[in-house]
Amino acid sequence: MQQVLDSSRPGDWRTLDPKNTLYLELAAGRVVIELAPQFAPAHVANIRALASNGYWNGLSINRVQDNYVVQWGDGNAEDAAKRKPLGRGIKPKLPAEFARKSQGLAMTVLPDADGWAPQAGFVAGFPAARDSATGSSWLAHCYGTVGAGRDMAADSSNGAELYVVIGQSPRHLDRNITTVGRVIQGIELLSALPRGTGPLGFYADPAQRTPIRAIRLASDVPKAERANLEVLRTDTPLFAELVESRRNRRDDWYLQPAGHINICNVPVPVREAAAATPAAAKSKKR
Amino acid sequence: MQQVLDSSRPGDWRTLDPKNTLYLELAAGRVVIELAPQFAPAHVANIRALASNGYWNGLSINRVQDNYVVQWGDGNAEDAAKRKPLGRGIKPKLPAEFARKSQGLAMTVLPDADGWAPQAGFVAGFPAARDSATGSSWLAHCYGTVGAGRDMAADSSNGAELYVVIGQSPRHLDRNITTVGRVIQGIELLSALPRGTGPLGFYADPAQRTPIRAIRLASDVPKAERANLEVLRTDTPLFAELVESRRNRRDDWYLQPAGHINICNVPVPVREAAAATPAAAKSKKR
């Protein structure tokens, strides 16, 4: 994969739109999330407003379930007397945005069968799936996918309670919950948190929760404090080469190339724009 | 899934063979591993002898790569002057045991296509795959699978350096490395460790490594100190029911049943034998 990245040109990379970039600030560092308004416009609008209002500042990560999800929000959300008000302009519940029309979405389709969906691939950097029979597309639950927690009713989410996948892709959640984006950088600040001690990985003792210093929209952050990242485009011949390098590893260590790849096994490389030379590209190695 | 487990009978569960059970003892607690001699007899023989000799006692976890593996062994293995001797009766290298003949192995085959292999399912509790064209079977790299690190040569592993998968199933490793077992309990003691600070998730500073108090074979441990676990059998009608309950969730929360399952998304439930009533069954919930 590194060989493929070494041959990349500046046009193979894109910058993040500050209006679609969320910074989750923890004592341990920053987690960068890219929002997907093309899949969940109502949820992303609420999330942007919640961030701009400083809603999450001082709240916490309340759930870490091994091989599943990390989840944050108001630990007192179930208690009407104690819960933090969502703030002006925030809708308390939103329509389900589990899937959308495929029309208008360009997908780089993977060559192999997905199993969970008729087709799978990448839409603007996000792992996604689609069904031509229903004409619908949706974000796939892969490692790093961000979604909006909901109760029993499909329209009970509002984006205030968010989760990140930190385990084996729970694709059974696809089309059952609204997905809003993907972690671009810093997921290890979430995936290495102590596992919750109560049912479903919620912390039994509120003192075990991890405080959130702030969640801010990049566009609300002074330019000098923004992360300066570039993400590999997924609609280029270079990305197709990268996918093929993962389908069939050419490294001499591999004696049996897999001849197969799954969307959740394809990393989308990220690099610091300031050091945007091919040799400085950051990527996951085997 | 809980409903299915609640209907289980004692015969749906099995106990672990102490000769095939490894305890990795950390300051934070015990990780229980079931060895798979039917897939890697030579490696398991070496691992048993290494454990009985106390080889790993005082060594450390040296690598934690996010969304990939945790790995332990001798941090000085590459340094002939400093490395710990393997001990009497330990073979310094072993033949590759990447796959074996399918003959004699009963597999509970999953109903859905696997993608990575012609067929996939469970063999005696282990996620596995097989190819009728070559007549071979192998353990699949799922969350919790344990393997033996190797260098470039296929026969360069000896079982002294072991890794556990803690991320999205790296199935491209299948048939490229020897897999020796699976974590049965306590994987969260590994998956929540701080990520390594150096290349490939190795700790840049040896002081960051996690010390191993001991790795012992259960049969070398006094009975009173053994874990008293039962594992759900994977060759029963009840297990087939459990798989179906994961393929199509009947819980009202799910509006769109997946109609699909992957071996790495099927948990094999474990419970304390002492409290072996159906209501006490421990399992992962959604």
Side-chain angles (χ1 to χ4, degrees):
Chain A
M1 190 167 90
Q2 194 55 49
Q3 279 182 332
V4 175
L5 291 178
D6 287 349
S7 71
S8 72
R9 290 162 307 170
D12 290 317
W13 300 83
R14 65 186 171 91
T15 53
L16 293 167
D17 180 345
K19 283 228 166 310
N20 291 335
T21 307
L22 215 55
Y23 298 150
L24 162 57
E25 312 280 8
L26 303 173
R30 176 183 282 177
V31 181
V32 180
I33 293 166
E34 183 173 19
L35 298 169
Q38 64 275 58
F39 284 93
H43 281 75
V44 168
N46 244 20
I47 289 167
R48 283 188 189 124
L50 286 162
S52 294
N53 290 353
Y55 169 74
W56 287 290
N57 306 359
L59 294 180
S60 54
I61 294 171
N62 306 317
R63 179 188 188 191
V64 182
Q65 186 171 359
D66 195 63
N67 192 20
Y68 196 43
V69 295
V70 165
Q71 191 171 317
W72 62 82
D74 185 353
N76 294 316
E78 305 299 317
D79 185 337
K82 291 188 186 168
R83 78 165 71 110
K84 186 170 180 175
L86 291 174
R88 284 175 65 90
I90 310 299
K91 297 191 176 126
K93 58 184 199 166
L94 295 171
E97 296 179 302
F98 300 170
R100 54 152 283 171
K101 282 185 184 164
S102 296
Q103 212 176 353
L105 282 189
M107 180 183 280
T108 302
V109 178
L110 291 197
D112 303 308
D114 177 61
W116 301 90
Q119 277 191 317
F122 286 84
V123 173
F126 294 97
R130 71 184 183 192
D131 184 351
S132 61
T134 59
S136 66
S137 292
W138 57 93
L139 290 184
H141 278 84
C142 291
Y143 195 86
T145 294
V146 183
R150 72 164 171 92
D151 295 326
M152 283 303 285
D155 66 352
S156 58
S157 60
N158 56 32
E161 189 85 15
L162 296 174
Y163 65 87
V164 175
V165 173
I166 58 155
Q168 173 68 20
S169 48
R171 297 284 307 278
H172 58 277
L173 295 176
D174 288 8
R175 288 180 288 172
N176 281 301
I177 197 161
T178 298
T179 42
V180 302
R182 189 172 78 82
V183 173
I184 294 291
Q185 193 178 61
I187 194 167
E188 68 281 1
L189 302 179
L190 303 175
S191 57
L193 287 173
R195 274 43 183 162
T197 45
L200 303 182
F202 284 94
Y203 291 110
D205 177 0
Q208 298 170 319
R209 296 172 182 162
T210 299
I212 292 173
R213 289 188 171 174
I215 297 186
R216 301 181 293 173
L217 205 56
S219 54
D220 292 337
V221 170
K223 275 192 176 164
E225 293 173 33
R226 292 184 195 166
N228 194 16
L229 301 177
E230 289 185 332
V231 181
L232 197 73
R233 286 176 54 183
T234 55
D235 58 350
T236 58
L238 187 95
F239 186 73
E241 258 185 75
L242 182 140
V243 168
E244 181 54 31
S245 78
R246 307 289 287 188
R247 290 184 79 231
N248 290 299
R249 312 258 175 154
R250 287 164 295 182
D251 179 327
D252 287 340
W253 189 88
Y254 287 91
L255 302 168
Q256 175 82 42
H260 181 86
I261 195 73
N262 177 282
I263 34 169
C264 297
N265 288 94
V266 179
V268 179
V270 174
R271 67 179 184 183
E272 301 286 339
T277 57
K282 286 173 75 173
S283 64
K284 288 276 167 68
K285 291 183 186 171
R286 79 133 198 282
Chain B
M1 190 168 91
Q2 194 54 49
Q3 280 183 332
V4 175
L5 291 178
D6 288 348
S7 71
S8 72
R9 289 162 308 169
D12 290 316
W13 300 83
R14 64 185 172 91
T15 54
L16 294 168
D17 179 345
K19 283 230 168 307
N20 292 334
T21 307
L22 216 54
Y23 299 149
L24 162 57
E25 313 279 7
L26 303 173
R30 176 183 283 177
V31 181
V32 180
I33 293 165
E34 183 174 19
L35 297 169
Q38 63 276 57
F39 284 93
H43 280 76
V44 167
N46 244 21
I47 289 168
R48 283 189 189 123
L50 285 162
S52 294
N53 289 355
Y55 169 74
W56 287 289
N57 307 356
L59 294 181
S60 55
I61 295 171
N62 306 317
R63 178 189 188 191
V64 182
Q65 186 171 1
D66 195 62
N67 192 21
Y68 197 43
V69 295
V70 165
Q71 191 171 316
W72 63 81
D74 185 354
N76 294 317
E78 305 300 317
D79 184 338
K82 290 187 185 169
R83 80 165 69 109
K84 185 169 179 175
L86 291 173
R88 283 175 66 90
I90 310 299
K91 297 190 175 127
K93 58 184 201 167
L94 295 170
E97 296 179 302
F98 300 170
R100 55 152 283 170
K101 283 185 185 164
S102 297
Q103 212 177 354
L105 282 188
M107 179 183 280
T108 301
V109 177
L110 291 196
D112 303 306
D114 176 61
W116 301 89
Q119 278 192 316
F122 287 84
V123 173
F126 294 97
R130 71 184 182 191
D131 184 351
S132 62
T134 59
S136 66
S137 294
W138 57 94
L139 290 185
H141 278 83
C142 291
Y143 195 87
T145 295
V146 183
R150 71 162 169 93
D151 294 326
M152 284 303 285
D155 65 352
S156 57
S157 59
N158 56 33
E161 189 86 15
L162 296 174
Y163 64 88
V164 175
V165 173
I166 58 155
Q168 173 68 20
S169 48
R171 298 284 307 279
H172 59 277
L173 295 177
D174 288 8
R175 287 180 288 173
N176 281 301
I177 196 160
T178 298
T179 42
V180 302
R182 189 173 78 83
V183 174
I184 294 291
Q185 193 178 62
I187 193 168
E188 68 281 1
L189 302 179
L190 303 176
S191 57
L193 287 173
R195 275 41 183 163
T197 44
L200 304 180
F202 283 94
Y203 291 110
D205 177 359
Q208 297 169 320
R209 296 172 182 162
T210 299
I212 292 173
R213 288 188 171 174
I215 297 186
R216 300 181 294 173
L217 205 56
S219 55
D220 291 337
V221 170
K223 274 192 177 166
E225 294 172 34
R226 292 184 195 166
N228 195 16
L229 301 177
E230 289 186 333
V231 181
L232 197 73
R233 285 177 55 182
T234 54
D235 59 348
T236 58
L238 187 95
F239 186 73
E241 259 184 76
L242 182 139
V243 167
E244 181 53 31
S245 78
R246 307 289 287 186
R247 291 184 78 232
N248 290 299
R249 312 259 177 155
R250 286 165 295 182
D251 179 328
D252 288 340
W253 189 87
Y254 288 90
L255 302 167
Q256 175 82 43
H260 181 87
I261 196 72
N262 177 282
I263 34 169
C264 295
N265 288 93
V266 180
V268 179
V270 174
R271 67 179 183 183
E272 300 286 339
T277 57
K282 286 173 76 175
S283 63
K284 288 277 166 69
K285 290 183 185 172
R286 79 136 196 282

